[in-house]
Each structure stands twice: as structure tokens, then as C-alpha cells.
């Protein structure tokens, strides 16, 4: 005989389901476990030893019942409570009499503090022992620790001040000295630069510049796929070289042989013999546009960087790809070589700078301080330092490890090019056509230039793609988006009286990244 299954309404079924769910989760597992006294004591003792081991030998409070700071005790038993007497007592880690021949009693094993004047006199008279120096160097004062633990400062400033003097062993405690705000040293005076010559001739954006070692002529590469050689003194065109089938992004003239090197968005890297004005070598290997190249100053090595996120090291004569420098995760926009370690430096659109070991072909260091693409690098000709340019900041670094020096803030644009001369003048050129000139040592921006575009060009065609000092460092050459090359010179008539430094020793706002 079968029983009929009782039918329920949907409301009743839902309610029962909710009840089952509630019963299942009624035990609140999120509640903290009840405190176990023994384990809590062990935990606090370990924590005190780990965090305050450098100050365990220091005085403890009266409420500590003569126990050292690291003994097994509840967390707040050794600390002052509101309303307590804040007077300090000096005890050792074990009971001791106040002097020779004094019997050890409950009264003599505890020494009250001397008066405040006595404390000052004693603190100044005590020689700084090594233990005290170490303690004051490695740990906060006892008063600081207790105030931090209680959460509010107690009204016993004179006592804690005297104790900090005692703990410092008579030395000046750094926490008691008002720190002087850092100020910018006065920058070196530099003559202002003025536009000297505008050279026209390219039919596309001028993307790269190189000056030959004899300082007689210079080379430019442009978006019209040509390489042009100009007389440096007169600005007249000497020669045009054709062979690239896309924008020429980089040019370099060798100081060791009569060769000119070029690279472009056609993935090609070419070596031109300037005695015959012909291409004599190609360096095949890059998988995408080649954005920059540089020659090693002391060995026959060429380094190129590309949109394929690699830099490649080539043997100039054999055309062999010696190393493929992999590690960047985006376009490598700029590369520089130097004779000292690190011999190769690259900047990338992944916002990092890498310093490379040329022998091993591996990264020595990666500098990650920039937040935007690094498109420009400049090596100081005399110092062992580097500047990098990005849309967020210009940053200075020291070699060989790439330690950060300072930020040069104020050029709020995408910085495409930088150059620095021996006098400590750093030039940064941006995509909006502005040029900022900085004092290298202090980071002071002493001049800003925004030259007018070539007649017939749009105002939006105002951009600096490359800049370079000639070998005499008396001329600055810039390659621009209005298809011109501009040459700047120092104003010979300017003096420090006629062009004073608008410098105020303001507080530095240097970011550490």
C-alpha cells in the first residue's frame, strides 16, 4: 500500500530550502578562534625578540615587574595604561645592588632616575660606547617603542627626552635634530642659444643626424628615403644617397674607417663606402623596422635596435650577427655604445632601460623607474653618467649599475631626442617642437626654445626628432618635422649680467623613482 506524497506550495518548498541552507551554514566559521593564553605568550615572545632584539638590554617600565622586554608575557602587560604613573625605573636583566657592599634588598635592587639636570650632565659626560652607538643606530628609543605600542604619546616628554639622550651615549640623536630641507645648489651659468641657420632640402620628416669626425660635414636621414650630406660651415647640400625604400631612422659615421651606416623602416641596415658613395654591406636579421643604431667607439662593432623588441650586435667586417640582445617586451627605440662597462645601453617602449654585458650578450641591469616609453638616451662625454628621456620625466643615472641621481621635470611632452656637451648643457627635444636646455649638474632649466615652423608647413608639423652637438660643441643641430634642419649657436654677446640666472634656492621636489 503506497502513501500519497503530500503536495506543498512553491512558497513552502522555497522556505524549507532556505531553512536547510541556514542550518548548514549556521556555524560562523569567520569568528576568530578563542585566544589560547600559552600560544599567545609564545607568539608575543617571538615577536618581541624578532622586532626588538636590538633594544632588549634597554630599560623597562615599572609595570613590567622587573622582567626584561623579551620575557613571556601578555602583549600589553608591560606598557603604560591611562592614569598610570609615567615615572621610569632603570633595571637590569637581573637584580643588582646599587654599589659595592650594599646589601641586595627589594629597595636597593631598583634605581630611580636622577633629576632631569643630572640626566643631562651625565649624558653629556658619558663617552659613547660602541654598544650604545649600535643601539642608537639600529633601534628606536624605548620611549618610542612604548608610545607606538600604546597608540598615544604620554605626558612625560622631559623624561623620554632625557632617556633618549642617555641611550645615545652622549651623542646627538638624529631624531632630536631638525633636518635642514635640501636646496638646489646654484647652477652654472650658460650662455643662451639662438637660431643661427635653417636648412631646407628634404621632402619628408628629418629623423636622424650624424656629424663626421673631422667636423666638416654632417649627415641626415629622412622620411623621403634619402640620406643627405651637408657642409657644416655653409649649410649647403654636398651629396644625396638613395637606396632605402622607406624612412631612414638612423645614421652614424665611423671614426675608425670611411664608412657611413644607416638603418630604416624597411628593416635594412646598410654600410656605405664614402670613397665610392655606394653600399658595400647589408646586415640582415631584424624582423621589423630598425629604429636606431650606434657604433662602438673602440672596436669594429655596430649595434642596431628594432621594433622587433631586440637589439643586435654586428661585426662590421664579417657582417656576422654576434649577439641578439633579447629581453625588452616592446619596440627598442634607442641604443647607445660606450667603451666602458656597460658597453651597450638600450631604451624601449616597454618603459625600461637595459644595461648590457657586451661579452656575454646578456642584461646587466634593468632600470624600471620610467612610466612611459624611453625614446632618447644621452651619455655625458666626460662623466660616467647617463640621461634618459620619456614623456613622464628626464632622469639621470650613474654607471655602471644605473643608480638613480635625479629627475629633470618640466618638459611636459614626448621627448624624442637628447644631447649633452662637455660644458654640462643637456638638450631635450620634444614632439611639440619645444627644446629645453638644462644645467646637467643641478637639473636647472635655463632656456626654452620653440622655433617657428618652415613657411608653408602646418603648425602641427612642429616636432624635434633628433638633435646633436657638432664636434666643436659650438653648434647644436636639430632634425625637425617641418622637413628642415635647424642650427643653433651660443649667443656670444650674452653675459651673466645681461642674462642672469632666474634661480631661487627652493626646496627640491625630487622623486625617488
Amino acid at each position: 500500500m503506497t502513501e500519497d506524497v503530500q503536495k506543498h506550495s512553491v512558497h513552502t518548498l522555497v522556505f524549507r530550502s532556505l531553512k536547510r541552507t541556514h542550518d548548514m551554514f549556521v556555524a560562523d566559521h569567520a569568528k576568530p578562534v578563542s585566544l589560547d593564553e600559552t600560544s599567545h605568550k609564545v607568539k608575543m615572545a617571538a615577536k618581541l625578540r624578532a622586532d626588538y632584539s636590538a633594544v632588549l638590554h634597554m630599560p623597562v617600565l615599572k609595570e613590567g615587574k622587573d622582567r626584561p622586554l623579551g620575557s613571556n608575557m601578555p602583549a600589553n602587560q608591560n606598557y603604560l595604561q591611562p592614569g598610570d604613573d609615567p615615572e621610569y625605573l632603570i633595571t637590569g636583566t637581573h637584580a643588582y645592588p646599587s654599589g659595592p657592599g650594599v646589601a641586595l634588598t627589594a629597595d636597593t635592587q631598583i634605581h630611580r632616575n636622577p633629576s632631569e639636570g643630572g640626566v643631562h650632565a651625565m649624558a653629556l659626560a658619558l663617552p659613547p660606547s660602541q654598544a650604545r652607538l649600535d643601539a642608537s643606530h639600529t633601534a628606536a628609543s624605548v620611549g618610542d617603542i612604548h608610545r607606538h605600542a600604546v597608540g598615544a604619546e604620554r605626558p612625560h616628554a622631559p623624561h623620554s627626552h632625557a632617556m633618549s639622550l642617555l641611550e645615545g651615549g652622549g651623542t646627538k640623536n638624529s631624531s632630536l635634530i631638525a633636518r635642514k630641507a635640501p636646496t638646489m645648489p646654484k647652477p652654472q651659468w650658460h650662455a643662451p642659444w639662438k637660431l643661427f641657420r635653417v636648412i631646407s632640402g628634404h621632402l619628408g620628416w628629418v629623423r636622424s643626424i650624424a656629424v663626421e669626425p673631422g667636423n666638416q660635414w654632417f649627415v641626415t636621414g629622412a622620411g623621403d628615403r634619402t640620406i643627405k650630406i651637408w657642409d657644416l660651415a655653409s649649410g649647403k647640400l654636398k651629396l644625396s644617397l638613395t637606396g632605402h625604400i622607406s624612412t631612414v631612422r638612423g645614421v652614424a659615421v665611423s671614426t675608425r674607417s670611411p664608412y657611413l651606416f644607416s638603418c630604416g623602416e624597411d628593416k635594412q641596415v646598410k654600410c656605405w663606402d664614402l670613397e665610392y658613395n655606394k653600399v658595400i654591406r647589408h646586415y640582415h636579421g631584424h624582423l621589423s623596422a630598425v629604429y636606431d643604431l650606434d657604433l662602438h667607439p673602440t672596436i669594429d662593432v655596430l649595434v642596431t635596435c628594432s621594433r622587433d623588441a631586440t637589439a643586435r650586435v654586428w661585426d662590421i667586417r664579417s657582417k656576422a650577427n654576434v649577439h641578439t640582445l633579447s629581453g625588452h617586451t616592446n619596440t627598442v627605440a634607442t641604443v647607445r655604445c660606450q667603451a666602458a662597462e656597460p658597453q651597450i645601453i638600450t631604451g624601449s617602449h616597454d618603459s625600461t632601460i637595459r644595461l648590457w654585458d657586451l661579452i656575454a650578450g646578456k642584461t646587466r641591469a634593468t632600470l624600471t623607474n620610467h612610466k612611459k616609453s624611453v625614446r632618447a638616451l644621452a651619455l655625458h662625454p666626460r662623466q660616467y653618467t647617463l640621461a634618459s628621456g620619456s614623456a613622464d620625466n628626464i632622469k639621470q643615472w650613474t654607471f655602471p649599475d644605473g643608480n638613480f641621481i635625479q629627475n629633470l621635470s618640466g618638459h611636459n611632452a614626448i621627448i624624442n631626442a637628447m644631447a649633452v656637451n662637455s660644458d654640462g648643457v643637456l638638450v631635450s627635444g620634444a614632439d611639440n617642437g619645444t627644446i629645453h636646455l638644462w644645467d646637467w649638474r643641478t637639473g636647472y632649466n635655463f632656456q626654452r626654445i620653440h622655433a617657428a615652423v618652415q613657411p608653408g608647413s602646418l603648425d602641427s608639423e612642429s616636432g624635434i626628432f633628433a638633435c646633436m652637438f657638432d664636434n666643436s660643441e659650438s653648434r647644436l643641430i636639430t632634425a625637425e618635422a617641418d622637413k628642415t634642419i635647424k642650427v643653433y649657436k651660443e649667443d656670444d654677446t650674452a653675459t651673466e649680467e645681461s642674462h642672469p640666472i632666474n634661480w631661487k634656492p627652493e626646496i627640491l621636489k625630487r622623486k625617488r623613482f
Side-chain angles (χ1 to χ4, degrees):
M1 182 177 179
T2 60
E3 295 181 1
D4 294 335
V5 178
Q6 188 177 0
K7 295 181 179 179
H8 297 284
S9 67
V10 173
H11 179 271
T12 304
L13 294 172
V14 169
F15 181 78
R16 286 184 176 180
S17 175
L18 287 173
K19 188 174 183 305
R20 282 196 300 272
T21 305
H22 176 267
D23 292 341
M24 185 183 303
F25 293 104
V26 70
D28 190 357
H29 297 290
K31 282 186 177 178
V33 180
S34 58
L35 184 66
D36 179 65
E37 193 70 23
T38 306
S39 63
H40 182 70
K41 287 181 179 179
V42 173
K43 172 188 171 185
M44 291 309 300
K47 186 172 178 62
L48 285 168
R49 276 195 299 272
D51 293 348
Y52 303 117
S53 59
V55 294
L56 288 182
H57 64 284
M58 290 185 176
V60 295
L61 296 182
K62 174 171 68 175
E63 287 74 16
K65 308 303 181 188
D66 298 348
R67 282 186 287 183
L69 197 61
S71 60
N72 294 336
M73 63 179 74
N76 57 356
Q77 185 176 331
N78 199 34
Y79 300 162
L80 285 173
Q81 301 299 323
D84 287 345
D85 179 16
E87 185 181 4
Y88 279 104
L89 298 175
I90 302 177
T91 72
T93 53
H94 55 82
Y96 59 96
S98 59
V102 178
L104 182 61
T105 65
D107 293 328
T108 59
Q109 70 180 8
I110 296 176
H111 295 235
R112 293 191 173 275
N113 274 342
S115 66
E116 187 177 348
V119 167
H120 278 276
M122 187 191 306
L124 294 174
L126 285 173
S129 66
Q130 189 59 43
R132 282 175 177 156
L133 287 174
D134 293 342
S136 65
H137 180 70
T138 58
S141 68
V142 174
D144 291 340
I145 295 169
H146 289 303
R147 282 198 298 274
H148 177 71
V150 174
E153 189 168 350
R154 301 295 176 199
H156 54 269
H159 290 285
S160 61
H161 175 75
M163 289 301 295
S164 63
L165 274 175
L166 267 177
E167 290 148 15
T171 60
K172 291 183 179 179
N173 196 315
S174 61
S175 62
L176 305 177
I177 302 170
R179 292 188 179 178
K180 186 180 178 183
T183 56
M184 179 189 289
K186 186 171 182 179
Q188 178 187 346
W189 182 81
H190 300 284
W193 293 69
K194 59 182 181 180
L195 184 61
F196 167 67
R197 176 177 287 135
V198 178
I199 302 170
S200 301
H202 277 294
L203 303 177
W205 290 355
V206 188
R207 301 302 302 243
S208 52
I209 305 170
V211 179
E212 65 98 12
N215 215 40
Q216 299 297 311
W217 45 267
F218 68 96
V219 186
T220 55
D224 59 6
R225 301 168 294 181
T226 64
I227 299 167
K228 291 184 183 288
I229 298 177
W230 311 84
D231 184 73
L232 187 58
S234 64
K236 292 182 178 178
L237 180 65
K238 293 168 70 78
L239 184 68
S240 290
L241 301 173
T242 57
H244 281 281
I245 57 174
S246 190
T247 301
V248 181
R249 292 293 292 259
V251 288
V253 183
S254 174
T255 58
R256 299 163 58 83
S257 53
Y259 294 154
L260 163 69
F261 296 86
S262 64
C263 64
E265 294 180 5
D266 51 9
K267 310 179 197 175
Q268 296 185 36
V269 181
K270 298 176 184 284
C271 173
W272 304 77
D273 187 326
L274 295 177
E275 292 179 350
Y276 299 97
N277 299 329
K278 289 183 179 179
V279 176
I280 58 170
R281 297 187 187 98
H282 287 92
Y283 302 91
H284 295 290
H286 279 296
L287 307 176
S288 190
V290 185
Y291 277 9
D292 196 11
L293 81 172
D294 199 19
L295 290 161
H296 195 284
T298 57
I299 56 177
D300 287 331
V301 160
L302 169 71
V303 185
T304 57
C305 63
S306 167
R307 196 167 59 194
D308 62 12
T310 67
R312 290 177 185 261
V313 182
W314 310 90
D315 183 308
I316 289 177
R317 300 193 177 278
S318 68
K319 299 182 286 185
N321 185 185
V322 180
H323 290 302
T324 300
L325 306 178
S326 303
H328 285 293
T329 58
N330 206 331
T331 300
V332 186
T334 180
V335 62
R336 289 291 177 268
C337 296
Q338 63 179 4
E341 292 290 343
Q343 297 184 51
I344 299 173
I345 305 100
T346 56
S348 168
H349 288 318
D350 64 10
S351 76
T352 67
I353 301 161
R354 284 181 180 257
L355 314 180
W356 300 88
D357 184 332
L358 176 58
I359 297 170
K362 294 181 180 178
T363 305
R364 279 179 58 122
T366 304
L367 313 181
T368 59
N369 300 37
H370 279 293
K371 298 178 178 65
K372 301 288 181 71
S373 301
V374 181
R375 300 167 186 260
L377 298 172
L379 307 182
H380 195 286
R382 291 183 179 172
Q383 299 177 15
Y384 199 32
T385 50
L386 159 80
S388 58
S390 175
D392 57 356
N393 258 321
I394 298 171
K395 296 180 185 290
Q396 290 178 329
W397 317 84
T398 59
F399 290 128
D401 300 318
N403 296 319
F404 176 76
I405 303 174
Q406 65 179 347
N407 281 325
L408 279 61
S409 302
H411 203 169
N412 301 317
I414 297 173
I415 295 170
N416 291 322
M418 290 199 306
V420 60
N421 67 10
S422 300
D423 292 334
V425 175
L426 173 68
V427 180
S428 57
D431 66 338
N432 60 0
T434 58
I435 300 171
H436 284 206
L437 293 101
W438 313 79
D439 177 53
W440 178 273
R441 183 174 62 90
T442 60
Y444 172 69
N445 179 205
F446 68 88
Q447 189 182 4
R448 301 182 180 187
I449 302 171
H450 193 173
V453 298
Q454 180 177 219
S457 297
L458 302 172
D459 286 339
S460 58
E461 285 191 311
S462 178
I464 313 293
F465 289 120
C467 63
M468 190 173 187
F469 287 100
D470 74 342
N471 292 324
S472 70
E473 298 184 338
S474 62
R475 284 169 283 204
L476 171 67
I477 309 167
T478 62
E480 310 211 0
D482 62 355
K483 308 179 183 68
T484 65
I485 301 131
K486 294 186 173 71
V487 183
Y488 294 85
K489 274 189 173 182
E490 281 185 323
D491 187 350
D492 297 332
T493 62
T495 62
E496 191 165 357
E497 288 74 24
S498 63
H499 290 78
I501 299 174
N502 297 321
W503 163 79
K504 296 176 183 177
E506 59 205 6
I507 293 175
L508 284 177
K509 296 180 180 177
R510 291 182 183 172
K511 298 178 183 176
R512 297 313 303 165
F513 298 99

